[in-house]
Each structure stands twice: as structure tokens, then as C-alpha cells.
Amino acid sequence: IKFDPYENPDDLWKVTDSLGHSIIESFHREMVIMPTHIMAAVIMVYRTGISRDALAERFGWLRDQLMRRGCRVDPIEGSNEDIVQHCRPLLKTLFTEKRNIIEVEIVKGNTNIHVMQLGMYRNGILHTLQREGIVAITLAS
């Protein structure tokens, strides 16, 4: 049997599938993860609230984990606390801060809008977790 992607739809599928995976993987290798992506991901995990100190600590831990995986993380200079302080104005409409506790802001009558917006920021790191996601889905099924 001859491989012929021009005449055989199964062969064409094999070529396009392989090419598509190669292109997506090259995109993922070139993506730069911004500090706002990391901060949004941490806030999303702790929706009921996280202290500023814990946010800076978890931010640093997640950034280090991403860098260990070979991800390109925007190299902003400064301590974790400084970087979190730098990101706060960019995300300030999406969370509230009371007595040093940061939590997702709930808008009356529209409870998910800020969660969805933070999710869009967080999506910048999801490609780094695809293997764990596949394992988690497999174990859950």
C-alpha cells in the first residue's frame, strides 16, 4: 500500500495531524509567560482569599516551577513582592483587597465576570500543564 495524501484521506489526515502538532508545539515553545498570567493563576486557586505575602510566595514558587520546565517567563527584575506590586494595578479591577487579603471581586448580579477575566489571564500558562491535565483526566475517568 502506497502512502498518498493526495488521493487517500487517511494519509492526508496523518500529514495534517502531524504538521498541526508540530506547529502548536513550536508556538508553545516560543510563548512568553507574563507575570500577570502567574498572578492571575494564583488568585484563581485562592478565590476565597490569599494574603499579599502568601501571594508573593506562591507567585515565586509557580514562576520557578514554570522556569524549571523550560518555559519562557518575562524576566522582570525585583523580588516576588516587587513583581506582585507591579502587577496589582493591571489586575486591580478584578479583585478586592481588605485587611491584606486579596480575593476575586464578586459583582452583584454577575458573579462570574471577574473569574472569567482572571481566567483569560491565567490561560497564558495552561499550555505548560497539558501533560498533567491529560494524566488527571485519565485518572478521573
Side-chain angles (χ1 to χ4, degrees), residues 30-93:
E30 297 301 318
M31 289 177 72
V32 176
I33 297 171
M34 303 304 290
T36 50
H37 298 157
I38 300 170
M39 185 169 162
V42 174
I43 291 172
M44 292 285 289
V45 169
Y46 297 95
R47 290 184 196 187
T48 58
I50 184 170
S51 70
R52 269 188 297 200
D53 294 338
L55 176 60
E57 180 184 323
R58 305 288 189 309
F59 172 92
W61 178 85
L62 182 54
R63 183 183 61 188
D64 292 346
Q65 294 299 314
L66 294 169
M67 291 172 70
R68 279 191 197 112
R69 293 168 182 250
C71 297
R72 297 174 62 195
V73 178
D74 187 35
I76 292 180
E77 296 292 322
S79 67
N80 294 333
E81 293 82 8
D82 293 340
I83 296 170
V84 166
Q85 281 298 109
H86 177 76
C87 293
R88 284 177 65 222
L90 301 171
L91 302 173
K92 72 179 176 183
T93 60

Side-chain angles (χ1 to χ4, degrees), residues 5-41:
Y6 293 106
E7 298 295 325
N8 185 343
D10 289 336
D11 292 343
L12 178 61
W13 175 254
K14 288 176 188 172
V15 169
T16 56
D17 187 49
S18 176
L19 181 61
H21 283 288
S22 296
I23 290 170
I24 294 298
E25 285 177 19
S26 68
F27 282 159
H28 287 170
R29 278 193 303 274
E30 297 301 318
M31 289 177 72
V32 176
I33 297 171
M34 303 304 290
T36 50
H37 298 157
I38 300 170
M39 185 169 162

